[in-house]
Amino acid sequence: MAKTLVLAEKPSVARELARVLGCKQSGEGYLEGEKYIVTWALGHLVELAPPEDYDKAWAERREYAHPRHCCPTRSEDGGDPHVGRQFRAGPGPRFAGGTVGGAGRSPPTRAGRGRLVARWILEKAGWKGPAKRLWISSQTDKAIREGFAHLRPAAEYDNLFRSARARSEADWLVGLNVTRALTCKYNAQLSAGRVQTPTLAIIVEREEAIRRFVPQEFWTVTAKLPGFT
């Protein structure tokens, strides 16, 4: 009988799912039971390849190596050898048969990131079969059982994947291009980012407003009327 592979976002979530699903047999990178095999992502198990994988010149922050019109086109294993070993021992070989259930949790932004990593793992493993999504807001036994009783087609959450992919590619492009531009212009190890830079700007603007504050005198009017002030 084909078993269902459950792909969790991280080991702690996988252990909770495996406990409720009765997966007690431990293997390298997975937990197995009669009906399910639970495995997990680890760090950035599959991510956008670093700039130097496209062009060795981009490894250095030099002006002439500044890739103004480059967009990432593929995803690869993360650079951490331990992370790559988890893919080879866990998710990769486990996609041999059965169906796939991805464990997702709200809020949507975090769930979108999880959907992105899960999709990239499925694509890298060459999975073409059916896939369903587990959507729960807590890890209680009851929530997990009810979630598995109402799995939804993964395609219903494709927009979460697309939005997360857009954010990831924006992070890659801004981090690569603007960081290199700043470093070359000011000859210093500076960095920029899609979230980091505007957030820092808000903090700087607030700090400047505080420093520009000039105390002013003001008057309080008090009226004394019969019976009250």
Side-chain angles (χ1 to χ4, degrees):
M1 180 182 69
K3 298 183 179 181
T4 297
L5 176 68
V6 179
L7 175 60
E9 62 174 322
K10 54 187 177 181
S12 61
V13 175
R15 286 192 293 269
E16 286 298 304
L17 298 178
R19 181 181 58 79
V20 175
L21 296 175
C23 299
K24 300 179 180 180
Q25 181 180 341
S26 179
E28 185 179 357
Y30 67 96
L31 295 163
E32 188 170 356
E34 289 187 11
K35 297 181 179 180
Y36 298 95
I37 299 174
V38 181
T39 186
W40 53 87
L42 185 66
H44 298 288
L45 195 60
V46 180
E47 61 184 3
L48 293 176
E52 54 268 25
D53 280 12
Y54 297 89
D55 189 327
K56 296 299 183 184
W58 295 351
E60 300 182 30
R61 297 186 180 185
R62 295 179 298 179
E63 189 170 4
Y64 65 82
H66 180 208
R68 295 172 179 81
H69 303 290
C70 174
C71 185
T73 57
R74 67 181 188 272
S75 57
E76 301 291 348
D77 289 339
D80 189 334
H82 181 56
V83 171
R85 186 167 63 250
Q86 167 61 14
F87 180 86
R88 291 187 294 273
R94 302 277 80 77
F95 286 99
T99 58
V100 176
R105 299 179 61 196
S106 56
T109 300
R110 177 62 186 170
R113 173 62 185 169
R115 182 72 189 130
L116 174 68
V117 174
R119 175 72 72 88
W120 279 348
I121 291 173
L122 265 63
E123 290 177 354
K124 187 171 181 62
W127 176 254
K128 304 296 183 182
K132 294 185 178 181
R133 177 76 182 225
L134 171 68
W135 188 274
I136 54 178
S137 57
S138 71
Q139 289 179 218
T140 63
D141 291 13
K142 180 181 178 182
I144 292 173
R145 292 192 185 97
E146 289 181 350
F148 272 92
H150 299 89
L151 294 174
R152 303 296 302 171
E156 292 185 5
Y157 301 93
D158 279 353
N159 283 341
L160 281 177
F161 159 70
R162 296 187 183 103
S163 63
R165 181 177 63 184
R167 290 192 298 271
S168 181
E169 291 179 354
D171 288 340
W172 194 95
L173 287 168
V174 172
L176 170 65
N177 287 287
V178 181
T179 293
R180 279 165 167 69
L182 288 171
T183 299
C184 294
K185 181 175 178 61
Y186 296 104
N187 192 29
Q189 291 292 318
L190 303 175
S191 68
R194 176 183 62 88
V195 176
Q196 164 194 319
T197 300
T199 303
L200 180 60
I202 293 172
I203 296 172
V204 170
E205 288 174 0
R206 179 59 179 161
E207 179 65 23
E208 289 179 347
I210 293 172
R211 292 182 178 182
R212 289 196 304 265
F213 177 75
V214 178
Q216 294 180 338
E217 289 186 353
F218 66 94
W219 300 93
T220 299
V221 178
T222 302
K224 291 186 177 181
L225 302 172
F228 66 94
T229 299

